Amino acid sequence: KNEVEQSPQNLTAQEGEFITINCSYSVGISALHWLQQHPGGGIVSLFMLSSGKKKHGRLIATINIQEKHSSLHITASHPRDSAVYICAVSYNTDKLIFGTGTRLQVFP
Amino acid sequence: NAGVMQNPRHLVRRRGQEARLRCSPMKGHSHVYWYRQLPEEGLKFMVYLQKENIIDESGMPKERFSAEFPKEGPSILRIQQVVRGDSAAYFCASSPVWGGVTDTQYFGPGTRLTVL
């Protein structure tokens, strides 16, 4: 069993829809990261959080430490949001342990 | 401030050859991480380095793989006697350290290694 679980694995949406991607982890962490991998393969770090909630533009990330769960929300989704979204956790050593990713496709 | 640089972007090697992948971290970043993404699989940690020091190499295969981050110059991931199973995308990331705590990791564009 992967220590970082994401759901759903695949997600399709119509432009404008509200998107939620979930991430669960099994043991205590020092931080949780959300990453975006573009169709061309490049990886962008979206958020790093250890508690509460962060917002950047149309993206919102939340984490519940007690429930060991995080969500990434995209408001007013757009075709350019189509990508693989990856949840990762870090412990004291700072290396990242990755989930398997959620492939999002947003259609016009 | 230039981002994390990796070169080459694409590398083709025949079985048995050596592959050298380079990573230049962002200016001011002293911590480098290497990750591997096998075809149709997720990212996996390989090694974590600071200047002249390997901090964690728990994800490195026991043989043929080595990494360094010298005092001057880029970090190098070296794969000796490559095999087809080494074909993958290799990503480097760097992070700053604030007050002894590492921050967000910034990823390079990756090197796509193909072993014929």
Side-chain angles (χ1 to χ4, degrees):
Chain A
K1 186 178 186 295
N2 197 14
E3 58 190 286
V4 182
E5 297 279 347
Q6 281 187 243
S7 63
Q9 280 192 300
N10 294 284
L11 185 55
T12 57
Q14 287 295 126
E15 184 173 356
E17 284 185 10
F18 181 81
I19 305 282
T20 296
I21 300 171
N22 296 300
C23 176
S24 298
Y25 52 93
S26 53
V27 296
I29 59 173
S30 57
L32 185 139
H33 307 248
W34 281 102
L35 310 167
Q36 179 192 54
Q37 186 166 27
H38 297 288
I43 298 172
V44 175
S45 181
L46 299 175
F47 295 104
M48 174 177 140
L49 64 166
S50 53
S51 65
K53 176 179 172 178
K54 285 190 176 179
K55 184 175 189 293
H56 182 70
R58 294 181 295 106
L59 301 177
I60 304 166
T62 64
I63 187 168
N64 184 318
I65 299 295
Q66 285 73 32
E67 295 187 4
K68 296 185 175 61
H69 180 269
S70 174
S71 293
L72 176 68
H73 304 286
I74 305 174
T75 61
S77 58
H78 190 275
R80 65 174 174 266
D81 297 326
S82 298
V84 176
Y85 291 83
I86 304 168
C87 172
V89 299
S90 56
Y91 304 99
N92 292 334
T93 58
D94 303 312
K95 68 186 182 189
L96 296 182
I97 310 296
F98 299 89
T100 51
T102 295
R103 188 174 300 274
L104 171 66
Q105 283 190 294
V106 182
F107 293 99
Chain B
N1 189 6
V4 178
M5 311 280 282
Q6 286 189 251
N7 67 81
R9 296 288 303 274
H10 299 273
L11 182 61
V12 178
R13 284 287 177 266
R14 295 192 180 280
R15 280 180 298 168
Q17 291 184 319
E18 179 180 287
R20 280 190 181 232
L21 288 62
R22 294 174 196 78
C23 169
S24 296
M26 287 179 71
K27 188 176 179 182
H29 289 192
S30 57
H31 293 231
V32 164
Y33 309 80
W34 285 94
Y35 300 98
R36 178 167 68 172
Q37 188 172 38
L38 293 167
E40 304 304 319
E41 291 190 20
L43 288 152
K44 295 279 194 294
F45 167 78
M46 298 184 77
V47 63
Y48 166 30
L49 309 108
Q50 295 176 21
K51 288 276 186 185
E52 299 183 283
N53 209 6
I54 297 175
I55 305 301
D56 183 347
E57 56 181 348
S58 58
M60 289 278 269
K62 295 281 185 287
E63 296 175 349
R64 301 187 297 108
F65 284 72
S66 63
E68 62 176 3
F69 189 14
K71 188 176 178 182
E72 301 290 338
S75 175
I76 306 282
L77 179 68
R78 183 180 176 211
I79 312 172
Q80 295 179 289
Q81 298 176 307
V82 295
V83 300
R84 289 219 174 99
D86 297 332
S87 296
Y90 292 82
F91 290 93
C92 166
S94 73
S95 68
V97 179
W98 307 109
V101 178
T102 54
D103 205 326
T104 300
Q105 293 186 24
Y106 295 84
F107 283 78
T111 293
R112 274 126 189 101
L113 172 65
T114 301
V115 180
L116 302 176

